[in-house]
Amino acid sequence: MPVQRPPTWLRFFQIIAGIIAIVLSGAVLASPLSAVFTITLLFSIALIFLGIERITIGMTSSGGSKESRIGNIVLGVIAIAISGLPIAFPLLAFEIIVFLISFGLLFTGIGRIMQGISSKTADRWYRATVIGIGIFAIVFSVLVLVYPILTTTIMLSVAFLILGIECIMAGATGQRTMNLEDMKRSLK
């Protein structure tokens, strides 16, 4: 079956999206404090939408107990009330987010190291790679705590850069991303 290329408008959109992502990558590096504010603002907006979603579930759910519906409404109100805190105290909110990211990376790293050490059936190269990734995650978690604005800025910038390059490549070449069948074939 021949591979169909995406339509021209989609390829154009991919190239434009890639250029925007690369520009955002540079903007994050040029103004780290703006990136911090943007992260906390997005966090606040996400809390508002999560709160609205919980309230809606609580008000419209026909199944479940009355306590469950009330619980959803209360959680929604709390989420909306908390959503103002990141806007009022953006640096504190950012520090909390960094703290959570750092500890998430720390525990992920520890888990990877334990997985690499305890897996007796996996190949040595795989086990060594998993242990190395675990060590990297732990080191990066410490760096996130010690240099929160720098590491967050670099992470965002690199992520935007990689995504931008990938979008431009996909748009310029007309290649589709891997579908499920391709993934299955690549794992065989």
Side-chain angles (χ1 to χ4, degrees), residues 142-182:
V142 171
L143 288 174
V144 167
L145 276 179
V146 175
Y147 305 107
I149 293 177
L150 178 66
T151 52
T152 304
T153 301
I154 291 171
M155 283 190 312
L156 278 174
S157 181
V158 168
F160 281 135
L161 182 64
I162 291 170
L163 290 171
I165 292 170
E166 191 275 332
C167 280
I168 290 171
M169 286 174 31
T173 63
Q175 297 292 314
R176 289 189 179 267
T177 56
M178 203 182 269
N179 63 26
L180 186 59
E181 292 303 317
D182 292 335

Side-chain angles (χ1 to χ4, degrees), residues 52-73:
I52 292 170
E53 184 258 350
R54 286 290 100 198
I55 291 170
T56 305
I57 295 281
M59 293 175 75
T60 62
S61 178
S62 59
S65 66
K66 180 179 180 181
E67 292 83 13
S68 174
R69 291 192 305 272
I70 291 171
N72 276 314
I73 293 170

Side-chain angles (χ1 to χ4, degrees), residues 55-180:
I55 291 170
T56 305
I57 295 281
M59 293 175 75
T60 62
S61 178
S62 59
S65 66
K66 180 179 180 181
E67 292 83 13
S68 174
R69 291 192 305 272
I70 291 171
N72 276 314
I73 293 170
V74 169
L75 286 174
V77 170
I78 291 171
I80 291 172
I82 291 174
S83 71
L85 293 175
I87 293 173
F89 306 103
L91 288 178
L92 176 63
F94 178 73
E95 288 174 5
I96 292 169
I97 293 168
V98 165
F99 183 78
L100 293 173
I101 290 170
S102 179
F103 277 93
L105 284 169
L106 176 67
F107 292 125
T108 298
I110 291 169
R112 294 288 187 252
I113 291 172
M114 290 172 50
Q115 176 188 358
I117 291 171
S118 66
S119 177
K120 302 300 179 200
T121 58
D123 293 337
R124 280 181 85 169
W125 68 267
Y126 178 78
R127 292 173 59 198
T129 303
V130 169
I131 291 170
I133 290 169
I135 292 169
F136 175 78
I138 291 170
V139 168
F140 202 73
S141 77
V142 171
L143 288 174
V144 167
L145 276 179
V146 175
Y147 305 107
I149 293 177
L150 178 66
T151 52
T152 304
T153 301
I154 291 171
M155 283 190 312
L156 278 174
S157 181
V158 168
F160 281 135
L161 182 64
I162 291 170
L163 290 171
I165 292 170
E166 191 275 332
C167 280
I168 290 171
M169 286 174 31
T173 63
Q175 297 292 314
R176 289 189 179 267
T177 56
M178 203 182 269
N179 63 26
L180 186 59

